[in-house]
Amino acid sequence: MKDLKWKVGGAQGEGIDSTGEIFAITLNRLGYYLFAYRHFMSLVKGGHTNYKVRISSEPINYHGDDLDILIAFDQRTIDENFYELKNNSIIIYDSSKFEAKTPDENVKVTLCPIPLYDFAKELGNSIMKNMVATGASCAAVGLEVTPFLEVIDDIFKKKGEKIINLNREAIQKGFNYFRENYPEIKLDLPDKKGKEKQNLFMTGNEATGIGALNAGCRFLAAYPITPATEIMYNAIANFPKFGGKVIQAEDEIAACMMAIGGNFAGVRSMTSTSGPGLSLMMEALGLAGISETPLVIVDVQRGGPATGLPTKTEQSDINEIIYGSHGEIPRIVITPTTVEEAFYYIQHAFNLSEKYQCPVIVATDMFLGMSKKSVTDLDFERVKIDRGLLLKDDELLKSGTGTFKRYDLSSEFGISPRSIPGQKNGRYVALGNEHEETGYETEDVEMRMKMMDKRMHKLNQFNPEELGVYYSEEDEFETLVIGFGSTHAQINEAQKVLKEKGLKVAHLQLKILHPFPSNIVKEKVEKAQKVFVIENNATGQLRQLIQLEIGAHVKLSSILKYNGNPFTVNEIVDGIIRKV
Amino acid sequence: MKDLKWKVGGAQGEGIDSTGEIFAITLNRLGYYLFAYRHFMSLVKGGHTNYKVRISSEPINYHGDDLDILIAFDQRTIDENFYELKNNSIIIYDSSKFEAKTPDENVKVTLCPIPLYDFAKELGNSIMKNMVATGASCAAVGLEVTPFLEVIDDIFKKKGEKIINLNREAIQKGFNYFRENYPEIKLDLPDKKGKEKQNLFMTGNEATGIGALNAGCRFLAAYPITPATEIMYNAIANFPKFGGKVIQAEDEIAACMMAIGGNFAGVRSMTSTSGPGLSLMMEALGLAGISETPLVIVDVQRGGPATGLPTKTEQSDINEIIYGSHGEIPRIVITPTTVEEAFYYIQHAFNLSEKYQCPVIVATDMFLGMSKKSVTDLDFERVKIDRGLLLKDDELLKSGTGTFKRYDLSSEFGISPRSIPGQKNGRYVALGNEHEETGYETEDVEMRMKMMDKRMHKLNQFNPEELGVYYSEEDEFETLVIGFGSTHAQINEAQKVLKEKGLKVAHLQLKILHPFPSNIVKEKVEKAQKVFVIENNATGQLRQLIQLEIGAHVKLSSILKYNGNPFTVNEIVDGIIRKV
Amino acid sequence: MVILKDFKVETNPTWCPGCGHYTVLAALQRAAANLGLEPDNMVLVTGIGCSSKISQHFNSYGVHSLHGRALPVATGVKLANHDLTVVAAGGDGDGYGIGVGHFMHTLRRNIDITYIVMDNHIYGLTTGQTSPVSQKGFKSKTSPHGSAEEPLRPLQTAIINGASFVAQAFAGDINQMTRIFEEGIKHRGFSHINVFSPCVTFNKINTFEWFKEHLVNLDEKSDYDYTNKYHALEFLDRHGSIVTGILYQEDRPTYHEVMIGATKTPTSKLDLTIPKEESERLKALFR
Amino acid sequence: MVILKDFKVETNPTWCPGCGHYTVLAALQRAAANLGLEPDNMVLVTGIGCSSKISQHFNSYGVHSLHGRALPVATGVKLANHDLTVVAAGGDGDGYGIGVGHFMHTLRRNIDITYIVMDNHIYGLTTGQTSPVSQKGFKSKTSPHGSAEEPLRPLQTAIINGASFVAQAFAGDINQMTRIFEEGIKHRGFSHINVFSPCVTFNKINTFEWFKEHLVNLDEKSDYDYTNKYHALEFLDRHGSIVTGILYQEDRPTYHEVMIGATKTPTSKLDLTIPKEESERLKALFR
Ligand SMILES: Cc1ncc(C[n+]2csc(CCOP(=O)(O)OP(=O)(O)O)c2C)c(N)n1
Ligand SMILES: Cc1ncc(C[n+]2csc(CCOP(=O)(O)OP(=O)(O)O)c2C)c(N)n1
Ligand code: SF4
Ligand code: SF4
Ligand SMILES: [Mg+2]
Ligand SMILES: [Mg+2]
């Protein structure tokens, strides 16, 4: 797989993101497969930010370890990103602002100074330096300028002719300058295998939002929090067209309780948040559990604990997601691994939540949630809406006017058919206290045991493996690498590298953590001589789950990263090689 | 060990509690060892309530499986408690209100009707029926009436002569009636081994409150919740004498944050709650963890999930206590097993919290928190206050006026000395974001790793076994029984029964769950052929911890109870015998 | 025809004999019957407390949720199906203590629900602690020397922050209370009704008698103008807030009519299928 | 002698150039210096938001706590050591959104702290969502068609519920703001100071200019009576709350003077040893 990696960096608030966006959107439209990763800090202006795009001829889920082209608006961008640059890479930098210094002479890097700022000033608006840089990038990768200009037309449609022309001019200026001054420089793009204007370019958060919509979710209650707010924006933009409602709640407790209310009243409802919000939802989670009300929570994990690293990625909420809330409830925990899966798995989440009448938590993370990739297609038909045991009006009518047994103990697998408000003969009280079959509060010891057993055994018939485990299908292997969620792509690439180095490596990626897919994990772990568990956290939460569920303590070894960034392929390769 | 078990039951709001109290206090003063258990429902009036007292010649921590004397104010009391009655036991009941029916003819029970209500009416106040019953109880166990009258004098001192005399008369009436009508009935009390007026009679909650006070805790912020509110009452009654402050917060989030503020400002501060409150504290817990602010939380567990069984006991918050809060923090989780330990361990909790600058959660439960026992003595000198690395004024003065490194990375074991507001040269910001040594917010990847490592490794030097594991000291055994917290007494008694039956049983009781006392658990589990883990919850949270920490999955077997009541000895014995 | 009985359940409430909450329940049942509401079309959402148990004793759909959280649940229910009559209820501890944040935000949104607070100036279910509206100096287990805190003024707070219907009733006057409930339920928008509902077990100060002695009945003041906020505030102030009647009412759009995604059809009744052309349109947003 | 520099830290704030929060910081530093406070005896407690970062930029002890939770932490600090000057600060989202419950309860207790809300009518740090005090119709990423909610009225709410000092300042007038901060800090009891502190990046409506145009300065109204609650409410209403100056002040005991366990000596300075006779007395309570 040939690829090219490009990055633009500068101070927050300088328009770095939109530079990246325009570059990426154009290439996506041309039919390249991209993966774009945004790095930013928890402050609004100033601070270093960058936008990296990896361009490939095949679908990819990771932005790559290294870098071919760096566009630098300041020296800090060079300093902070230099380590990524390959030999024979180039740095395009704003020579009207600074004289670039390269921190390491051993890496062969070509410096391409361009007076970005000055050009922009000439055009009358310093923010245009971004477009000049985009034009230069276009030239550097040997593309024609037209498709970029078309993207400009589209994006700035609403802003009017003047703005469009200014942007077009800036791009052209950068393009021309680069062609003229660095005619010898052209970094080859990989083959273009996708059709033009075919692939979607979207984030995990966007896929989650659209997936929820397709799942029939028509109510989102949420409170703003990085890196989950985008889900809310997406819902605000797209739910109304389908009669769906979105409310900005006063806090996450309210958001979660509203979603419970919505589900109780028969609308598929969800809330989206990140760690701090999740912690605030712990009591509500228990209410959904004991009252057997469906509930979908999306946790876009970020660096913890507390406020932690609000704009960085981590996979460290797993423990709280699985074990949080006092007392004991059934729950399902899903961890999609790609943008596409963010779309499909949120749909499964709604189906499972209504089928098992229990909360389902979808745990993604900032890396998956906010990174953008080229998606070949989304199949809106693949996951059918299955609303579980919702009673029909006539079924309820037939049942007579006696008190409705919402928590009927004789129900198969402990899942009792639900009614929703407005339905005749279906009245009941959903409550957080222990209760009888009718929902009436009880402290009776027998009833308590029966209700606990009913709830806790509901998931016995659910086979988590059906939902989500990726296995690389090696028949023979010595080393097993296990991960969950967004680390999929890097582990996958690492596996290839390790195989090339002659190691017999298999890869197991979990997409569901609770109920735990014990059978397959057990089978593979038993076959392995050594097992590496790869996680973006400090305590090895998945490793602990495996120990708890499978045992095999001595075989397991953790490779952890918890500095806020996603794994590189190299870190995984190195980590494994050092220990096998 | 000879013992006698007595119980009084009736409708909530009828004064059942005070009947039990007066009976128990008198016996405690006489030098008997008691354990008293309160059963009540989550409503204020009506509903069945009872108060059971077990009287023994030795200190005990459990109210016993069966019953010798039942005082019944209604038929429901007989129906709900009959199963406990031994052969040759007696029921004293209010014959002015109902005609007692015994549900099982096979149990030989003597019925002693007494017109309690009519007597009370004669005295002009129906509530006096309780005192009549107390008098009858006194006669039934062959005691003289004088000590009871003395207790009446003490308790009603503030209410005046008239009330005292009324109560005295009522007791005398009950006593005389019983002596006259049932001269042949006398159930023997065990030998009295304690000194008169020596033993304390107190609950786990009271011991927690007094222990906290002795630990130097001078600030409690809490929100009312059964079964933890008593800790707050205790603090309100006793802290002020020592300048300590108590605030009823607006909710549990505020309570926990206030306690963090108090600790930050140099006062040992705590909050007390039960499950629902604990769930609300999850975010705050993380703040204490990352900002390295000491914090003590007491969780008096009750039946979960959500509102669950608010007046029943359970040990089901352990998972949340250990794994709750998003992200990763160091914490210590202590589970005292007796009222005495509730006193001593809360003191260790404060010492550990300041020593390791991390949250310490003390998890008791309603059974331990609200049951009352005769305590031989409390040693106020045993646990010395150790405030950990609190910098002295002159140390800070010497340090110069440069910025204070609150999170000094060079500190031994990662524990950096603390300053408190008001101290010169100690200024810093405690924060929930990742930070540098000075406390200033950072997103630097190196610093992030160092700070995470600092925090997560702080407890490496702490040996949890030193703090709290009970082992029954068998050299040889086949069966190992493991429990934690308040199940101690029943497992202990069960062990004796099992030994009498010829089983080789050892008993390990954990008083700390996190960090996990792996060494001793591993050693004992390895020696055992079969391990039973006894827990008041539905999912076997301790068993899971053992699997995670030790492995040995196949040896482990759970005996669980989650109907809201504490274990009986028999349930444990039976459970084990059925499986070995 | 719906009759009173339709709103009754078989089991008896577990409140203490004489508790004010009984009459609140009865008045709500009467109001619902008088308005001809369908029990199947009503949802009563409560928090946790003695008062909050009312959702178990009232025969409609119900959620007996978490302490302090009735309002967000009620909001969720209403937005999911605005054809439902949604009533939220709970105690003063529940609504003005732990739940006061939700109170503030729900009322300013003008969600079309009726919120009944059964105010006994104490925490009943947890057996008698000071509540956020207990009078200054009030003695309880948590304030043995008398409360040191200024009580909150929920009615005034509601009026000032945009509640469109604010009233107060008294459990000792079931007829007025029933009328107020009817008006509150009929009102389109957030109706805040505080009901003095004495706790006969733990509050020996603010008893039925005490309220009877102190209460001023707005129905007897013919010159009271309930469309004037400042009039209401001043009146409450003058009478130490011990007033019954409709204090303030205003007509303005309710939230589900103006919120993001507002629809005529209740959300719960919408067809969920996404037509092919719509899925293609959605995908096109990302090209 | 303490000078202005003592309240400055070495690192520069990370706010956007021109953000109102800069002047709030400067005014607080000036006020502290003018009052001759010791940086070591001050604690600045904040929540989370751009505004809440002020605790990192002000040279005193500080807690940069959790979103919405500055007030309970500040309460804990003050009760632990009432000799400290405790200032709580944060944004409008922090204080009136997620944190409004704590606001209500802290003010009615009259905890002796100064609470500065840097109100920009928007969520800044999370890059521009509608806040609970955003004007009706305000457009943002979460209300693209304009906010459908009535904004909260925090000043009025504070006045009505027992705050003993209520004022409003404007980041565009550092002198008045400094004076108000000084008065607020000097005031014994809860001081609520709302500061209009424009977010130059995300709020293009409520800009410095906008405020300058609309603001009414109480200092210029010689007949204003700040001891009269209803005067204050009416005045705020008349001017759409866009007023600066001290709106209301009242002298009453602060919480730590009257609470359970009140002491003259700060709690943090108490000797912790329990004498033998006291431990015996404690034990005797249980015999
Ligand atoms: C999170 C949480 N904290 C505390 C409690 C305990 N609790 C139950 S009811 C209640 C107060 C009830 O008072 P109020 O709302 O005034 O109702 P009342 O019983 O007086 O009718 C409290 C504190 C709880 N259930 N959940
Ligand atoms: C529990 C929780 N929810 C959400 C967030 C995300 N968050 C951080 S700051 C903020 C809003 C800040 O707005 P404001 O308080 O008005 O301060 P400003 O940035 O405008 O100064 C939010 C929602 C969080 N940190 N914690
Ligand atoms: S305790 Fe008070 S509020 Fe609760 S039921 Fe009894 S009288 Fe009513
Ligand atoms: S985003 Fe707004 S509030 Fe935040 S620093 Fe920038 S201008 Fe100030
Ligand atoms: Mg109440
Ligand atoms: Mg703001």
Side-chain angles (χ1 to χ4, degrees), chain A residues 44-45, chain D residues 14-16 19-21 50-51 120 124-125 198-202:
Chain A
V44 174
K45 282 188 181 164
Chain D
T14 50
W15 293 311
C16 308
C19 174
H21 302 348
C50 292
S51 36
N120 51 17
L125 187 58
C199 170
V200 296
T201 304
F202 297 110

Side-chain angles (χ1 to χ4, degrees), chain B residues 42-46 223-226 229 232-233 236-237 240 246-253 276 280 302 306-307 310, chain C residues 14-17 48 50 53 65-67 69 93 97-98 123-130 141-144 149 201-202:
Chain B
S42 182
L43 45 96
V44 173
K45 282 190 179 161
Y223 187 75
I225 190 164
T226 309
T229 321
M232 196 177 175
Y233 296 156
I236 288 172
V246 183
I247 185 169
Q248 178 179 339
E250 57 269 30
D251 60 26
E252 288 88 349
I253 298 178
L280 289 171
R302 67 186 209 184
T307 311
Chain C
T14 50
W15 293 313
C16 306
I48 299 292
C50 293
K53 296 197 182 206
S65 71
L66 295 173
H67 189 42
R69 315 299 172 197
I98 190 169
Y123 285 15
L125 188 59
T126 41
T127 72
Q129 297 87 20
T130 300
K141 294 186 198 166
T142 49
S143 62
E149 305 170 31
T201 303
F202 296 111

Side-chain angles (χ1 to χ4, degrees), chain C residues 7 17 20 50 67 75 78 83 136 146 149 155 174 186 189 198 212 221 233 242 275 280 282:
Chain C
F7 294 96
C50 293
H67 189 42
T75 298
K78 186 73 193 183
D83 277 355
K136 213 159 169 173
E149 305 170 31
L155 295 166
I174 189 167
K186 277 195 295 188
K212 269 182 203 142
K221 307 272 159 188
L233 293 176
I242 313 292
E280 287 307 319
L282 285 167

Side-chain angles (χ1 to χ4, degrees), chain A residues 389-459:
Chain A
L389 295 179
L390 264 185
L391 284 163
K392 300 220 178 60
D393 287 349
D394 54 347
E395 290 173 317
L396 274 163
L397 276 180
K398 261 185 284 170
S399 77
T401 50
T403 329
F404 174 59
K405 283 195 182 169
R406 165 65 183 93
Y407 304 103
D408 191 346
L409 283 169
S410 66
S411 321
E412 211 183 359
F413 307 121
I415 303 165
S416 328
R418 277 199 315 144
S419 60
I420 62 167
Q423 287 189 300
K424 278 233 175 312
N425 297 346
R427 294 193 298 278
Y428 74 100
V429 181
L431 82 177
N433 293 65
E434 194 51 275
H435 43 258
E436 301 171 359
E437 290 179 279
T438 57
Y440 200 81
E441 186 178 340
T442 188
E443 302 182 19
D444 180 81
V445 292
E446 303 291 325
M447 186 52 75
R448 158 66 171 183
M449 299 286 275
K450 284 186 188 149
M451 282 293 164
M452 277 296 284
D453 291 343
K454 168 192 198 302
R455 289 190 298 267
M456 299 313 292
H457 298 165
K458 275 197 287 191
L459 291 169

